[in-house]
Amino acid sequence: AGRVVVWKLNSLPLNGATVLHSITGYRYDRLDGSIDTDGTAANINTNTTDEHLNQVSETIYATGKSSWGSWTAGADFYNGRTQIDQLVGAPAIASSLDVLATNDATSGAAFGEVTRDFTDAISLTAGGRVSTESKRFEYHTVGTGFLPTIPDTPLDKSWTSFTPSARLSYEPTRELLSY
């Protein structure tokens, strides 16, 4: 059973030229099941999974217009966690492997751009985005019988990036845009 909730504030005028926008999301999902993975009538190998997923995200940004053009500035945030408990069993050889895993992901960003209108048809847009992400994956296994316990090896990585952008646009009619 899963749940997804998205709330979107289309626009909130702050003054005559500036509008605040927000999009918020939440997701919960659960998978709980068992499958006979050997595909035979014999109970040789089964796989049982209990998985939980939680995510929350937020994007908030402001837009504005003036006599020279327009601008956008905002921020993004994301946080997600997946937890898995998976049991792989081989009853025929009295063996099993229990895997407990957790995956955490967090990201955030700030972004902005400015568009300068030179004429009704020609404009120049420049902007950028600074993003940071962090991911961590941990697992723990316990093996019995012929299936060995695998050593824990957590994986942890973070990075930050900057993505600039620039474009010259030409819009001779409302139906045609070149950039």
Side-chain angles (χ1 to χ4, degrees), residues 31 39 94 96 111 116-117 140 153:
L31 170 66
S96 68
F111 58 89
R116 171 73 166 105
D117 297 328
H140 176 73
T153 308

Side-chain angles (χ1 to χ4, degrees), residues 68-120:
W68 53 266
S70 59
W71 58 270
T72 300
D76 289 324
F77 173 77
Y78 168 86
N79 190 333
R81 171 173 262 212
T82 304
Q83 292 178 295
I84 301 170
D85 183 0
Q86 188 170 35
L87 179 64
V88 179
I93 57 172
S95 299
S96 68
L97 182 65
D98 193 6
V99 180
L100 304 170
T102 302
N103 185 41
D104 291 308
T106 302
S107 67
F111 58 89
E113 71 177 22
V114 175
T115 300
R116 171 73 166 105
D117 297 328
F118 295 107
T119 68
D120 287 344

Side-chain angles (χ1 to χ4, degrees), residues 171-177:
E171 189 175 2
T173 69
R174 290 184 59 85
E175 294 81 25
L176 179 63
L177 171 65

